[in-house]
């Protein structure tokens, strides 16, 4: 009897050690509802009514884990797959782990170093500080005007982020090829198409402590094939008065556009688009406030093109794009909430008289 008890105690002890040293977590988000969207121009009109999904948060499932290597060092990994709730098909162009696929090392004292497919620093730092919609809710999110913060994901990226030092955190990353496999650098033949999108640099600094939030980011993509280098920098801040949180941001994009925005079946921008001569100033003002068991959110944002691409026809006049958005989330539990969103865009995609109206209600569950 004593031997049995001793064996059980030893097994339980070893199981506890193994669990403490290595952990793997399965997680995900399901987001779906009913919505309406209409895009209208001078000689164009398109609308869609029905199921919507991935509005507040993109639908996903993932695995993340860590192993204790001793002396405060950990091996970490995260793989995350996006999908369409309405069809069950994979998102991000059908990639198995299109949302994220990273492996790295981390330490409490020095930060973390990761490699693989992951979001850039602007997408990690800017929405959380300045965007009342948290980088979600379709055209309402900050990335509609600040394209480098539109949940931009880069392949082949090595990234370092410091720990949080009294509210400060710094990050920097480099991509060997932002979209697709790394191509060979062949000097005596046609450049490898896989290397078309070129190299990326991303960096930023954020401060979040108490009611104050501040952020600054910079992103650059250099396309060797087209001899184009486009950039975006942004700064922003927020202050939480408890009854209401106010935020503002300003940025500038030059010589291209980072992450595409889709306003309908025939109007959208591609990702990683070089356009020499294009210059866009971006602005955002946001408000959020706790109301009942939820939160109300509102924002105005503008992307103002001060110069057209050099390749545009002479006399091209680009209009300033304005987006007005209002939303509400209501918590049913810690993991499940309802939401409602209304957003209106004028001069969408810098096009005169092109308007986009989005209305939707939905349910989001996190596990």
């Amino acid at each position: 009897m004593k031997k049995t008890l001793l064996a059980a105690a030893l097994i339980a002890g070893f199981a506890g050690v193994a669990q403490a040293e290595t952990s793997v977590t399965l997680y995900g988000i399901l987001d779906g509802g009913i919505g309406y969207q209409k895009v209208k121009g001078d000689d164009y009109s398109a609308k869609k009514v029905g199921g919507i999904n991935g509005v507040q948060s993109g639908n996903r499932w993932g695995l993340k884990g860590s192993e204790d290597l001793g002396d405060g060092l950990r091996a970490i990994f995260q793989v995350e797959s996006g999908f369409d709730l309405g069809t069950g098909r994979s998102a991000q162009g059908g990639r198995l782990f299109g949302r994220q696929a990273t492996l790295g090392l981390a330490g409490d004292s020095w930060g973390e170093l990761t490699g693989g497919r992951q979001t850039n620093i602007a997408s990690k730092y800017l929405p959380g500080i300045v965007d009342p919609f948290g980088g979600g809710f379709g055209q309402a999110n900050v990335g509609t005007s600040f394209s480098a913060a539109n949940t931009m994901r880069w392949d082949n990226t090595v990234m370092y982020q410091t720990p949080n030092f009294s509210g400060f955190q710094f990050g920097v990353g480099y991509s060997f090829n932002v979209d697709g496999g790394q191509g060979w650098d062949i000097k005596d033949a046609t450049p490898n198409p896989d290397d078309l999108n070129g190299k990326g640099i991303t960096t930023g600094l954020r401060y979040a402590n108490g009611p104050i939030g501040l952020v600054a980011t910079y992103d650059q993509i250099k396309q060797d094939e087209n001899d184009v280098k486009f950039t975006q920098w942004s700064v922003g801040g927020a202050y939480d008065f408890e009854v209401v949180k106010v935020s503002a941001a300003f940025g500038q994009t030059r010589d291209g556009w980072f992450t595409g925005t889709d306003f309908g079946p025939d109007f959208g921008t591609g990702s990683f688009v070089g356009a020499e001569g294009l210059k866009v100033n971006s602005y955002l003002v946001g408000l959020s406030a706790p109301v009942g068991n939820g939160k109300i959110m509102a924002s105005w944002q503008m992307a103002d093109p001060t110069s057209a691409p050099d390749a545009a026809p002479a006399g091209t006049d680009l209009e300033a794009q304005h987006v007005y958005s209002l939303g509400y989330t209501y918590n049913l539990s810690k993991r499940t909430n309802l939401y409602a969103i209304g957003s209106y865009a004028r001069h969408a995609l810098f096009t005169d008289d092109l308007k986009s109206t989005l209305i939707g209600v939905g349910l989001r569950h996190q596990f």
Side-chain angles (χ1 to χ4, degrees):
M1 184 66 175
K2 289 182 180 181
K3 290 182 179 180
T4 303
L5 292 174
L6 179 59
L10 288 172
I11 292 172
F14 285 127
V17 170
Q19 186 174 14
E21 290 181 348
T22 305
S23 66
V24 177
T25 301
L26 171 67
Y27 67 93
I29 296 178
L30 299 173
D31 179 325
I34 301 293
Y36 163 89
Q37 184 172 9
K38 183 174 183 179
V39 182
K40 190 176 187 326
D42 285 340
D43 301 309
Y44 177 90
S45 180
K47 68 178 181 179
K48 182 168 63 173
V49 181
I52 57 176
N53 73 92
V55 175
Q56 180 176 359
S57 302
N59 286 293
R60 71 197 71 171
W61 69 272
L63 294 167
K64 59 184 176 181
S66 66
E67 181 188 12
D68 187 352
L69 301 177
D71 297 325
L73 185 65
R74 302 186 306 278
I76 57 174
F77 78 89
Q78 186 169 356
V79 290
E80 189 171 287
S81 178
F83 61 93
D84 186 307
L85 185 65
T87 65
R89 294 192 178 98
S90 294
Q92 289 81 47
R95 301 173 192 242
L96 175 59
F97 295 117
R99 293 186 61 90
Q100 183 167 338
T102 54
L103 174 68
L105 296 171
D108 295 335
S109 61
W110 58 270
E112 67 175 42
L113 180 68
T114 55
R117 178 173 169 84
Q118 52 195 308
T119 53
N120 65 316
I121 295 295
S123 297
K124 294 178 186 296
Y125 289 6
L126 192 68
I129 298 291
V130 304
D131 188 5
F133 295 92
F137 292 97
Q139 71 183 37
N141 92 82
V142 64
T144 302
S145 298
F146 297 75
S147 67
N150 196 8
T151 317
M152 181 168 62
R153 299 180 177 91
W154 287 355
D155 297 333
N156 313 298
T157 301
V158 178
M159 184 175 293
Y160 168 72
Q161 295 184 81
T162 68
N164 187 310
F165 295 114
S166 301
F168 286 98
Q169 187 176 27
F170 170 77
V172 61
Y174 180 82
S175 172
F176 295 93
N177 186 22
V178 297
D179 188 20
Q182 294 177 234
W184 292 90
D185 185 9
I186 303 173
K187 299 298 185 183
D188 58 352
T190 302
N192 190 325
D194 284 344
D195 201 31
L196 177 65
N197 290 302
K199 315 299 188 294
I201 298 172
T202 181
T203 188
L205 176 69
R206 63 180 169 184
Y207 174 78
N209 196 358
I212 301 174
L214 299 170
V215 61
T217 65
Y218 174 83
D219 287 273
Q220 171 190 298
I221 292 178
K222 187 175 186 299
Q223 295 178 332
D224 292 331
E225 175 75 5
N226 301 324
D227 195 28
V228 174
K229 180 175 71 176
F230 48 104
T231 63
Q232 180 180 293
W233 61 265
S234 59
V235 293
Y239 192 89
D240 191 347
F241 294 93
E242 295 186 359
V243 293
V244 62
K245 180 180 179 180
V246 297
S247 60
F250 173 73
Q252 188 176 92
T253 307
R254 288 177 175 267
D255 299 319
W257 203 248
F258 284 86
T259 308
T261 299
D262 183 10
F263 283 103
D266 299 307
F267 290 93
T269 59
S271 297
F272 316 135
V273 178
E276 277 194 290
L278 178 66
K279 180 180 175 183
V280 180
N281 291 335
S282 301
Y283 309 81
L284 178 141
V285 176
L287 296 171
S288 63
V291 176
N293 198 31
K295 179 175 69 172
I296 191 167
M297 307 161 292
S299 72
W300 162 82
Q301 53 180 302
M302 177 175 70
D304 182 15
T306 58
S307 66
D310 296 341
T316 297
D317 185 19
L318 301 179
E319 300 291 336
Q321 172 184 276
H322 296 259
V323 183
Y324 309 87
S325 305
L326 180 67
Y328 180 68
T329 62
Y330 181 83
N331 298 319
L332 298 173
S333 70
K334 290 183 178 181
R335 297 190 300 171
T336 304
N337 70 277
L338 299 170
Y339 63 80
I341 178 65
S343 182
Y344 173 75
R346 181 164 58 93
H347 302 317
L349 302 178
F350 316 132
T351 304
D352 187 26
D353 292 327
L354 183 65
K355 307 174 181 67
S356 174
T357 303
L358 170 67
I359 300 172
V361 293
L363 175 70
R364 183 184 71 158
H365 175 72
Q366 304 173 75
F367 65 88

